[in-house]
């Protein structure tokens, strides 16, 4: 029994890492613009699908992964430039609806380009399971975990240690004041979208060998990442990471101990409970300001 | 009282001798269909401390927002240091040396005092030697900020936030400092302290446009003043004359 729970934990942390990366993407764009970007899941899908396609076109796997990440980051940038920027001055709700439209568009393009089947990406270093204290672990899970740790650390350092990262934060805290110190808010927004898209792409590429990918793989991953961001307190990047891990573990435990059919229901119930009892998220900033 | 009025004020014939640092001509500004700024012309010369006073809703903040390009003008021109900056984006205006201390301080609450100042120097960050030196100058100007370098700006008192907002603007290397109601919501002693610093900055050579509802305090330290009423400049004169003017006294000084 204990071994089983350990197994669920390992699975949960792996899946949770992916949610964490997607949630982090949500938090970055939300931070820069107060907008929830519902195309975030599509970035994950685009990363995975274009890596698969580039691999099929003959590129070696590492190169395909890097190119797919850059390509997706470019898509994020273009999305900001040609869909979000023209609606400058529109309300947050309008902008959110634009991102939903963009998500549907990207899904459509993906289905035209790559069809509707689930496609695999080969595991980065084989499929020989690793035994770890009674739990079985795919080598790819280690890639997921390692990749997540590195990316989260990089983003954390970027936001807290660099002037550019703090400027990004300043835009979210007080856009007018950010403009008054000379921050080009438009460029910051492009940066946030590019970064989020790249982050999503890496998540998609890391997890594709385990879950496969298809044109609609982004829907559920996007929703889970969004949930992670909400649980962690939207706008708190490291909260989103914690929220993702928590969500993944709960889901795995629920699937293992109750029924795998309830996996998603358990995750979303948890989100509802969090919103009910702690509306600003578990690690959200309490909304209080001195005037 | 600093004697910073340039010799050109009262004589339009000598005005061309030296182009003003800031020259606003025929400026109009709307919020939707509502016109807030009507045909405003105003100038500030290098080294001056100019006060723009007016009541609530006179359009003071809108004028400053238009100056900093947070709000687009509907007509008119803004010239600064020989350039027509009317349509420049906000970040470029800051880069050229117009730095604003906004109404209500608007510090970056979840960031530390030090980070707020660093962000103030966003356009100057390449000149790290200057930034370090200027930060020390700000800490010297406001010792309380020095004690609280790592404290989050949102947890500072109103007066300390005002000091931080001024410090942040100074790190933008202003050639013209715009101050929007620095006395708002502060206790009289703090107002005195803030105004003392404003005078000190001006004596050190910073050109200042001070926008205030507290007309008496503002005119007392300014060289020249403009009176703004419902979006129009209704009077402009050396500050001492405005302080003695009967209309101004009745309307703004309450005695």
């Amino acid at each position: 029994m204990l071994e089983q729970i350990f197994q669920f934990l390992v699975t949960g942390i792996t899946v949770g890492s992916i949610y964490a990366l997607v949630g982090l993407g949500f938090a970055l764009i939300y931070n820069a613009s107060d907008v929830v970007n519902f195309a975030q899941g599509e970035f994950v899908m685009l990363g995975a699908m274009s890596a698969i396609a580039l691999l099929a076109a003959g590129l070696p796997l590492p190169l395909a992964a890097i190119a797919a990440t850059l390509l997706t980051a470019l898509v994020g940038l273009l999305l900001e430039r040609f869909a979000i920027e023209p609606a400058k001055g529109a309300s947050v709700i309008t902008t959110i609806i634009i991102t939903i439209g963009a998500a549907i568009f990207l899904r459509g393009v993906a289905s035209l380009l790559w069809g509707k089947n689930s496609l695999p990406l080969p595991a980065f270093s084989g499929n020989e399971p690793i035994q770890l204290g009674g739990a079985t672990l795919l080598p790819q899970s280690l890639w997921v975990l390692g990749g997540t740790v590195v990316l989260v650390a990089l983003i954390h350092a970027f936001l807290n240690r660099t002037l550019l990262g703090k400027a990004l934060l300043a835009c979210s805290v007080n856009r007018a004041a950010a403009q008054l110190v000379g921050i080009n808010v438009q460029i910051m927004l492009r940066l946030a979208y590019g970064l989020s898209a790249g982050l999503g792409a890496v998540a998609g590429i890391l997890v594709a060998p385990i879950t496969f990918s298809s044109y609609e793989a982004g829907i559920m991953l996007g929703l889970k990442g969004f949930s992670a961001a909400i649980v962690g307190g939207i706008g708190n990047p490291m909260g989103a990471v914690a929220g993702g891990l928590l969500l993944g573990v709960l889901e795995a435990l629920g699937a293992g101990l109750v029924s795998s059919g309830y996996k998603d229901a358990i995750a979303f119930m948890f989100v509802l409970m969090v919103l009910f009892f702690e509306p600003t998220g578990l690690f959200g900033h309490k909304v209080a300001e001195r005037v | 009282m600093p004697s910073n009025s340039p010799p050109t004020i009262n004589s339009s014939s000598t005005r061309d001798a030296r182009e003003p640092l800031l020259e606003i001509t025929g400026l109009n500004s709307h919020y939707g269909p509502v016109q807030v700024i009507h045909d405003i012309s105003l100038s500030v010369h290098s080294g001056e401390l100019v006060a723009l006073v007016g009541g609530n809703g006179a359009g003071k903040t809108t004028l400053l927002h238009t100056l900093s390009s947070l709000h687009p003008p509907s007509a008119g021109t803004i010239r600064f240091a020989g350039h027509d900056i009317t349509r420049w984006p906000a970040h470029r205006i800051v880069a050229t040396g117009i730095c604003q201390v906004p109404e209500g301080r608007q510090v970056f609450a979840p960031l530390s005092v030090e980070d707020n100042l660093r962000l103030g120097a966003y356009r100057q960050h390449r000149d790290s030697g200057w930034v370090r030196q200027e930060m020390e100058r700000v800490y010297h100007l406001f010792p309380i900020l020095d004690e609280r370098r790592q404290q989050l700006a949102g947890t500072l008192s109103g007066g300390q936030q005002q000091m931080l907002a001024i410090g942040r603007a100074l790190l933008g290397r202003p050639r013209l400092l715009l101050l929007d109601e620095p006395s708002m919501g502060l206790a009289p002693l703090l107002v005195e302290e803030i105004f003392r610093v404003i005078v000190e900055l001006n004596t050190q050579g910073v050109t200042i446009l001070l926008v205030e509802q507290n007309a008496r305090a503002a005119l007392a330290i300014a060289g020249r003043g403009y009176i703004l009423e419902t979006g129009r400049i209704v009077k402009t004169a050396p500050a001492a004359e405005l302080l003695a003017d009967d209309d101004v006294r009745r309307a703004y000084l309450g005695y």
Side-chain angles (χ1 to χ4, degrees):
Chain A
M1 184 66 193
L2 210 64
E3 274 179 15
Q4 242 185 336
I5 288 184
F6 186 58
Q7 176 71 60
F8 297 150
L9 280 178
V10 169
T11 312
I13 290 173
T14 309
V15 178
S17 297
I18 294 303
Y19 297 165
L21 288 181
V22 184
L24 193 53
F26 271 106
L28 283 178
I29 289 181
Y30 181 84
N31 252 349
S33 62
D34 284 343
V35 165
V36 177
N37 167 35
F38 278 107
Q40 191 62 36
E42 272 54 47
F43 293 154
V44 181
M45 174 274 291
L46 276 183
M49 294 303 279
S50 48
I52 292 167
L54 288 168
L55 191 71
L59 243 57
L61 182 59
L63 224 58
I66 291 169
T69 305
L70 294 178
L71 211 67
T72 310
L74 185 68
V75 170
L77 235 138
L78 293 175
L79 171 70
E80 199 287 330
R81 178 64 189 83
F82 293 107
I84 309 292
E85 225 166 276
K88 193 165 73 169
S91 70
V92 166
I93 289 291
T94 309
T95 317
I96 290 175
I97 291 170
I98 291 174
T99 69
I100 296 175
I104 296 170
F105 169 76
L106 291 175
R107 230 175 284 149
V109 171
S111 78
L112 287 176
L113 276 177
W114 300 306
K116 302 204 164 182
N117 294 329
S118 276
L119 300 172
L121 192 68
F124 295 2
S125 41
N127 282 312
E128 196 62 41
I130 300 165
Q131 296 298 325
L132 190 85
T136 315
L137 194 64
L138 285 173
Q140 189 63 29
S141 296
L142 290 179
W143 277 100
V144 171
L145 293 174
T148 304
V149 168
V150 169
L151 280 176
V152 168
L154 280 177
I155 296 284
H156 186 264
F158 169 69
L159 289 176
N160 293 290
R161 296 262 172 272
T162 70
L163 190 65
L164 200 60
K166 283 169 187 168
L168 195 63
L169 190 60
C171 289
S172 74
V173 174
N174 192 326
R175 177 181 285 242
Q179 285 177 289
L180 286 179
V181 297
I183 296 169
N184 185 341
V185 176
Q186 213 64 63
I187 298 257
M188 285 298 154
L189 211 52
R190 285 182 211 163
L191 176 74
Y193 272 84
L195 207 60
S196 293
L199 210 56
V202 176
I205 295 165
L206 285 173
V207 79
I210 302 176
T211 61
F212 294 12
S213 193
S214 74
Y215 78 104
E216 55 181 9
I219 301 177
M220 196 44 97
L221 278 173
L223 280 176
K224 293 289 172 58
F226 175 54
S227 305
I230 296 232
V231 166
I234 190 140
N236 176 353
M238 294 307 128
V241 172
L245 291 173
L246 202 59
L247 211 61
V249 167
L250 273 178
E251 221 181 78
L253 284 176
L257 298 177
V258 185
S259 155
S260 56
Y262 289 131
K263 190 181 73 147
D264 296 332
I266 287 167
F268 292 131
M269 273 303 287
F270 176 62
V271 176
L272 288 179
M273 298 300 270
V274 168
L275 284 178
F276 192 70
F277 291 108
E278 201 72 48
T280 55
L282 296 179
F283 316 99
H285 296 294
K286 297 289 168 280
V287 184
E289 207 169 289
R290 194 162 182 166
V291 284
Chain B
M1 187 182 299
S3 56
N4 44 26
S5 322
T8 52
I9 315 165
N10 292 320
S11 132
S12 55
S13 61
T14 55
R15 185 161 276 195
D16 299 326
R18 200 173 52 133
E19 195 189 355
L21 182 63
L22 173 76
E23 186 161 38
I24 301 175
T25 321
L27 196 72
N28 287 276
S29 198
H30 290 73
Y31 275 106
V34 182
Q35 183 159 11
V36 185
I37 299 286
H38 298 266
D39 221 14
I40 284 189
S41 295
L42 174 157
S43 63
V44 180
H45 286 77
S46 207
E48 270 194 300
L49 197 174
V50 173
L52 178 77
V53 301
N56 231 340
K60 304 187 297 293
T61 296
T62 304
L63 177 64
L64 286 197
H65 277 198
T66 311
L67 255 175
S68 286
S69 193
L70 295 185
H71 186 77
S74 27
T77 56
I78 306 170
R79 290 184 62 78
F80 180 75
H83 298 282
D84 182 350
I85 61 163
T86 317
R87 303 278 158 192
W88 284 17
H91 59 94
R92 215 174 143 200
I93 301 243
V94 177
T96 196
I98 300 184
C99 301
Q100 183 178 153
V101 182
E103 183 182 16
R105 353 302 173 201
Q106 316 285 344
V107 294
F108 300 118
L111 294 175
S112 71
V113 167
E114 186 124 340
D115 282 345
N116 268 270
L117 293 179
R118 266 184 215 297
L119 282 170
Y122 189 74
R123 289 273 143 199
Q124 307 295 334
H125 72 276
R126 282 202 183 82
D127 195 350
S128 60
W130 179 85
V131 173
R132 216 172 306 123
Q133 198 185 323
E134 187 67 5
M135 275 176 85
E136 287 314 314
R137 191 167 86 97
V138 168
Y139 286 137
H140 186 73
L141 209 56
F142 303 112
I144 189 79
L145 296 182
D146 193 6
E147 290 165 27
R148 296 172 182 230
R149 289 182 189 215
Q150 298 312 323
Q151 193 171 321
L152 299 187
T155 64
L156 297 174
S157 74
Q160 291 158 2
Q161 289 191 9
Q162 187 64 59
M163 295 174 194
L164 181 56
I166 293 175
R168 185 179 63 185
L170 287 177
L171 275 147
R173 216 175 207 167
R175 287 200 277 169
L176 172 66
L177 185 65
L178 309 175
L179 290 150
D180 195 354
E181 299 243 14
S183 78
M184 194 172 76
L186 298 186
L189 263 179
L190 271 170
V191 175
E192 221 169 273
E193 161 83 5
I194 296 285
F195 274 56
R196 186 188 56 74
V197 169
I198 294 172
V199 171
E200 189 178 330
L201 288 172
N202 183 238
T203 357
Q204 286 169 12
V206 183
T207 309
I208 295 175
L209 177 60
L210 169 63
V211 169
E212 259 297 342
Q213 209 170 149
N214 187 342
R216 191 189 319 215
L219 290 173
I221 62 167
R224 281 190 306 130
Y226 289 87
I227 309 277
L228 190 66
E229 256 173 37
T230 56
R232 293 181 175 83
I233 304 266
V234 294
K235 202 162 260 178
T236 171
E241 270 178 41
L242 288 176
L243 274 171
D245 187 289
D246 283 342
D247 290 341
V248 175
R249 279 169 52 160
R250 256 193 308 279
Y252 297 99
L253 307 176
Y255 64 94

